[in-house]
Amino acid sequence: MRDTRILLRTGAVPALLLAAAAVAAATAAATAAPAAGGTAPVAAGQDFQYVGHDDRVHGLTAPKGCVAAEGGGSRPVTNHTRGTATFYREPGCAGAPVERLGPGTVTQVRPYFASVRFSVTG
């Protein structure tokens, strides 16, 4: 813990690495035990994952078009799709986009998103 604080204070750890670590920790926690309510945990290796306002890891495999962010999206987001994920605060991918996340990237989407549009790849 002390070493982490020193690295953070000196700026030696990029913010994206911290976000990736948060996603990895959340994914590991979600796959270690069943989620509340008896639903199956999110499988590691899904194409798109995020931590919702409900503090659960949500994931999609091969998402297409506009998708509602179940649990209200925020915090770490991982896009392992082959296309761009565009985030909207409104349901139904309405309004101005708040963030775009290219393929193979991890970031924080603040303050939240309600829907995501996935570009179609060939």
Side-chain angles (χ1 to χ4, degrees), residues 56-107:
R56 292 177 57 192
V57 176
H58 298 271
L60 301 167
T61 302
K64 293 180 180 145
C66 182
V67 178
E70 181 183 329
S74 69
R75 295 184 258 165
V77 177
T78 303
N79 181 15
H80 287 295
T81 67
R82 291 187 288 163
T84 299
T86 304
F87 301 87
Y88 298 85
R89 288 195 183 137
E90 302 298 323
C93 298
V98 293
E99 182 81 43
R100 283 189 175 84
L101 186 59
T105 56
V106 177
T107 194

Side-chain angles (χ1 to χ4, degrees), residues 9-63:
R9 220 177 350 206
T10 62
V13 178
L16 288 179
L17 289 178
L18 292 174
V23 170
T27 301
T31 57
T39 59
V42 174
Q46 289 187 318
D47 297 326
F48 181 81
Q49 293 184 339
Y50 64 94
V51 178
H53 289 297
D54 58 2
D55 291 326
R56 292 177 57 192
V57 176
H58 298 271
L60 301 167
T61 302

